[in-house]
Amino acid sequence: MGRPPAIILRQVSKEYRRDQIRIPVLSRLDLTVAEGEFLALMGPSGSGKTTLLNLIAGLDRPTSGEIIVHDLDLTRLSDSQISRWRSDHVGFIFQTYNLIPVLRADENVELPLLLTKLSRRERRQRARTALRIVGLEGREDHYPRQLSGGQEQRVAIARAIVTDPYLLVADEPTGDLDRQSAEEILNLMEQLNREFEKTIVMVTHDPNAAKRATRILHLDKGQLVDDVTRAEPSPPKVAESAASGDPPYVADLDTARRQEARL
Amino acid sequence: MKFLGYILRNARRNPVRSLLTIGSIAVCGFLTVAMLSLFSSADQLREEVKGYDRVIVMSSQGFAQPVPIALKNEIIALDQARGLNAIARRAADGKPLISPFSWFGGKYKDEQLSLFAQFGIDPDVFFDIYTELTLPADQLAAFKARPDAVVVGRKLAADKKIAVGDKFPLKGEIYNYDLDLTVVGIFDGPENRDLRSCYFNWDYLNEGLLSKASGVGANNAGTILIKCASTALIPPLCQAIDQATANSDRATKSQTEDAFIGQFAEFTKDLQTYINLLGVAVAFALLIICGVAMAMSMRERTREVAVLRAIGFRKPQILGMVLAEAVLIAGLGGLIGTGTALLLSKNWDAIAPLTMGFFPYLRIPPQVALAGIAGSLLIGLIGGYWPALRAASIPVVDGLRKVV
């Protein structure tokens, strides 16, 4: 692979219990994801994609096995420690955006920063920077209901990157979007992967979305059945509104990152 | 503090539900604070009158049964004969400070009910006994000089737009005799005294009953009011009076003024007990209301809470935010309820006439106001705890799957 591993799964199994019935979802799964990789998880419904994503993101715990992310064994962390880890290192992008309807766009983006020691001014500044990166400058004061689906998802992406996490997890990020909005979101994710070197794990049913990833994993019945690494990802189709990686935005995020490192 | 904005937005998320919850707590808070303050005001008055060393002699059968006026002189004689010297005397002329104190219960002008207290007293000594009530000297002189004179309280004069010199007709309800009085003075006093009452010459009433009502009800003092020389002399005087009249058809019960007022408190004791019980039931109902409102609210936001948990909010933070929202809503209700009670107390003069003199004054003691607010906060805290705990405890993965 060349790059050091960001995520290592060793013999990970997951089963749920419903009443007295055991429902195996993942079975003795081994997986390594390199830093800066854009991984697409595909497979039929019930194949365990979202469960795997939840385990990698520390939202759920495996029944057995080890999950190591950036040298940290998530299975050994307490509930509080894993919450802290998520807030520091993981950004979430959901299919239905999951924005807080009573908060403005900038306030939604600012939410994860409430868990940091940043001042109100710094939080605001970072939220606005993140919104600029996703091409929503000027929409800071809009409530989710005043935005289109694509814009809502961009706010969600801004919320995911505002803490500058090393891992982004996305569960069907384009599932609720029209084709054009989906393209814009995928461009943005590609940009975050290539230019900001975010490791991205994305669950999708959409082959077009999966094509944007550098690696595609197919799951079926809790097992990895196919693993395709593409040498060159398809070229990004950058939409004008998606703030296609202008250096000032990169500089903004770098500045924000340095400020946080100083804290 | 940095979560406050989010908490406030959530509290306003469903305005109708929040307003209804706030309203129900406000109404109950208002009633509880107002009722507790009414009883507290009565207790305060009892405490205050203790310092005036007054004794009221009434029939042992109750204050509705009058005592004969002859008892007045007998008490003076008894006090001297026993060497008690318990009855205070006016410094200027040595006149014993003892007066009939007879409830008339008449209707003013064309009023349908007797809406304020009217007492027949001895004008010569009454204001020496009730020293906290003040009457200008010229008006006091007129009150003593003129048999058909009446003095009215400042608030009654204001309510009825009465001025000195006005006619003041009272239609007898208890007595078969109407009083045709003339206002000669307007007395004043502390705010918590009944300034919606009036006092007239007992002799004038008695002469009228003798000459024009065939003597029915005449020569009865109602009760007898005594100013004692000191607090220490009250018990022996009361004992002496009651012993002297025991086993007669005019047996008396003598007691301090605060004990006399306490009788009325006893009448409302059951009411107080019921109100206290009702208050407990209402508080329990409010807990349920608050809990249900928060549970509904959190059920609608299960997914949002899961998102918050996903992005790193910890259980105690979620618990704290939901509890803060519940406490905010309930506390706002408590504040509005207590604030309304305070407003009512400021404008009690408009309500007091309807209490027929029983509650002339309403003051919200700071501790009652604070208890009202603290109670509402507690309701928010307890009522919101279970929904908050549930919200904080839902596994993130389950919460994210939830579609509401």
Side-chain angles (χ1 to χ4, degrees):
Chain A
M1 268 189 220
R3 293 186 178 190
I7 304 163
I8 301 168
L9 274 74
R10 289 193 194 111
Q11 295 290 294
V12 169
S13 296
K14 177 69 184 177
E15 62 182 38
Y16 292 107
R17 279 187 177 275
R18 292 285 178 268
D19 300 323
Q20 297 302 315
I21 305 164
R22 279 175 56 243
I23 305 166
V25 182
L26 296 174
S27 180
R28 302 169 75 83
L29 201 76
D30 288 309
L31 173 67
T32 302
V33 181
E35 272 185 28
E37 207 165 29
F38 186 170
L39 179 73
L41 291 173
M42 296 193 75
S45 293
S47 59
K49 306 181 298 291
T50 300
T51 301
L52 179 57
L53 189 80
N54 289 339
L55 292 176
I56 290 171
L59 293 178
D60 207 353
R61 291 174 186 274
T63 311
S64 63
E66 275 184 340
I67 300 171
I68 296 161
V69 183
H70 280 255
D71 298 327
L72 192 69
D73 187 350
L74 301 188
T75 55
R76 293 181 189 277
L77 298 181
S78 69
D79 195 52
S80 176
Q81 286 171 324
I82 209 160
S83 292
R84 186 65 193 259
W85 174 78
R86 283 200 305 265
S87 73
D88 289 345
H89 302 300
V90 188
F92 290 88
I93 305 165
F94 304 97
Q95 179 179 350
T96 49
Y97 331 128
N98 285 341
L99 298 179
I100 309 293
V102 291
L103 299 181
R104 298 190 311 258
D106 58 346
E107 292 168 332
N108 264 289
V109 177
E110 195 189 333
L111 258 183
L113 297 177
L114 293 178
L115 301 170
T116 68
K117 290 177 179 172
L118 294 175
S119 69
R120 184 185 161 84
R121 217 177 111 191
E122 287 169 321
R123 292 198 308 265
R124 275 290 142 91
Q125 200 176 343
R126 283 195 186 201
R128 285 175 185 260
T129 302
L131 282 168
R132 273 209 304 278
I133 289 171
V134 300
L136 282 181
E137 193 170 16
R139 302 280 182 154
E140 294 88 350
D141 295 340
H142 286 59
Y143 285 91
R145 64 176 181 278
Q146 297 166 328
L147 300 170
S148 69
Q151 288 170 330
E152 280 195 74
Q153 192 60 298
R154 277 196 257 162
V155 174
I157 292 173
R159 182 178 65 188
I161 63 170
V162 74
T163 55
D164 193 20
Y166 50 59
L167 176 63
L168 289 178
V169 293
D171 193 357
E172 299 274 11
T174 58
D176 272 14
L177 298 176
D178 60 63
R179 192 172 185 79
Q180 191 188 339
S181 300
E183 285 295 321
E184 287 174 7
I185 293 303
L186 290 167
N187 288 342
L188 191 54
M189 290 178 68
E190 256 183 354
Q191 180 198 338
L192 292 169
N193 174 242
R194 281 190 292 105
E195 296 176 13
F196 294 87
E197 296 175 341
K198 302 295 175 198
T199 304
I200 300 177
V201 181
M202 172 179 72
V203 164
T204 184
H205 278 108
D206 180 3
N208 287 326
K211 276 183 198 164
R212 301 298 192 92
T214 54
R215 186 178 168 196
I216 304 171
L217 288 181
H218 282 267
L219 275 91
D220 193 18
K221 295 175 184 166
Q223 301 277 0
L224 284 175
V225 291
D226 197 12
D227 186 345
V228 180
T229 304
R230 292 189 303 113
E232 288 293 324
S234 42
K237 298 171 189 170
V238 179
E240 278 179 24
S241 59
S244 55
D246 293 344
Y249 299 138
V250 180
D252 281 344
L253 194 64
D254 283 345
T255 308
R257 195 184 296 160
R258 280 197 298 277
Q259 282 173 347
E260 191 176 25
R262 279 201 299 273
L263 284 168
Chain B
M1 279 305 282
K2 58 187 171 184
F3 299 114
L4 187 63
Y6 180 52
I7 293 163
L8 286 171
R9 299 283 180 85
N10 276 331
R12 294 199 316 243
R13 186 183 283 244
N14 190 328
V16 174
R17 186 165 56 213
S18 295
L19 282 176
L20 287 174
T21 310
I22 289 169
S24 57
I25 293 172
V27 169
C28 296
F30 161 72
L31 288 174
T32 308
V33 169
M35 292 308 289
L36 287 176
S37 298
L38 268 182
F39 296 131
S40 162
S41 297
D43 289 344
Q44 185 199 358
L45 180 63
R46 281 185 67 184
E47 281 304 308
E48 281 186 21
V49 298
K50 277 182 183 170
Y52 290 99
D53 297 335
R54 288 189 286 252
V55 163
I56 292 176
V57 180
M58 65 177 205
S59 166
S60 63
Q61 295 174 47
F63 60 81
Q65 190 68 27
V67 293
I69 191 66
L71 197 58
K72 180 184 142 189
N73 288 332
E74 288 172 24
I75 290 171
I76 296 168
L78 182 72
D79 183 46
Q80 287 176 326
R82 296 271 179 95
L84 294 172
N85 296 319
I87 302 172
R89 288 173 182 271
R90 190 156 57 199
D93 55 10
K95 184 155 188 182
L97 300 180
I98 180 168
S99 164
F101 195 65
S102 183
W103 175 270
F104 183 68
K107 292 191 293 192
Y108 175 67
K109 285 189 174 171
D110 51 0
E111 285 179 346
Q112 297 300 305
L113 291 168
S114 176
L115 294 174
F116 55 91
Q118 308 131 22
F119 290 98
I121 47 90
D122 179 354
D124 191 32
V125 294
F126 181 76
F127 285 94
D128 293 306
I129 298 172
Y130 269 97
T131 47
E132 68 267 43
L133 301 181
T134 55
L135 187 66
D138 57 328
Q139 294 179 2
L140 180 59
F143 187 36
K144 290 178 181 179
R146 190 168 169 171
D148 64 343
V150 63
V151 290
V152 299
R154 171 173 53 82
K155 291 181 181 176
L156 181 63
D159 288 350
K160 311 283 183 198
K161 296 182 173 52
I162 295 166
V164 171
D166 286 354
K167 285 287 179 192
F168 195 87
L170 288 175
K171 184 172 169 48
E173 286 287 290
I174 300 168
Y175 298 99
N176 187 23
Y177 179 62
D178 299 340
L179 291 171
D180 188 17
L181 304 166
T182 301
V183 178
V184 297
I186 293 169
F187 68 85
D188 207 346
E191 279 299 311
N192 62 348
R193 301 310 155 94
D194 187 7
L195 301 179
R196 283 188 179 78
S197 55
C198 71
Y199 300 101
F200 57 87
N201 193 330
W202 178 88
D203 285 336
Y204 180 70
L205 167 66
N206 200 50
E207 283 163 18
L209 291 172
L210 288 170
S211 61
K212 294 176 183 164
S214 312
V216 177
N219 298 323
N220 283 316
T223 58
I224 291 173
L225 180 67
I226 304 166
K227 170 90 170 169
C228 275
S230 75
T231 311
L233 293 173
I234 292 175
L237 179 67
C238 290
Q239 199 179 8
I241 296 168
D242 291 347
Q243 274 178 356
T245 58
N247 302 319
S248 73
D249 59 354
R250 50 185 194 154
T252 58
K253 181 181 178 185
S254 308
Q255 58 195 327
T256 58
E257 187 181 14
D258 71 279
F260 182 76
I261 296 171
Q263 290 182 129
F264 296 95
E266 283 298 316
F267 295 152
T268 58
K269 196 122 188 147
D270 284 346
L271 185 64
Q272 281 190 51
T273 307
Y274 290 134
I275 284 172
N276 289 340
L277 286 173
L278 207 62
V280 172
V282 165
F284 187 69
L286 286 177
L287 277 181
I288 293 171
I289 289 170
C290 188
V292 166
M294 285 311 295
M296 284 167 71
S297 179
M298 294 323 297
R299 189 178 157 76
E300 288 163 10
R301 279 146 55 189
T302 303
R303 200 171 171 133
E304 277 180 39
V305 171
V307 172
L308 291 177
R309 294 273 287 122
I311 65 177
F313 282 70
R314 292 188 291 281
K315 276 184 188 177
Q317 287 168 324
I318 300 287
L319 188 75
M321 285 198 296
V322 179
L323 275 180
E325 188 181 328
V327 166
L328 179 77
I329 288 174
L332 203 58
L335 264 180
I336 293 171
T338 306
T340 311
L342 282 167
L343 266 179
L344 179 78
S345 75
K346 299 276 180 216
N347 297 286
W348 186 247
D349 279 349
I351 311 288
L354 304 177
T355 71
M356 301 170 80
F358 282 102
F359 294 106
Y361 175 71
L362 174 68
R363 177 181 160 271
I364 311 289
Q367 65 270 25
V368 174
L370 285 176
I373 295 168
S376 65
L377 294 177
L378 201 65
I379 282 169
L381 199 66
I382 298 171
Y385 184 73
W386 177 245
L389 192 66
R390 265 184 66 86
S393 304
I394 289 176
V396 184
V397 173
D398 292 348
L400 288 173
R401 273 198 218 110
K402 190 103 177 173
V403 179
V404 180

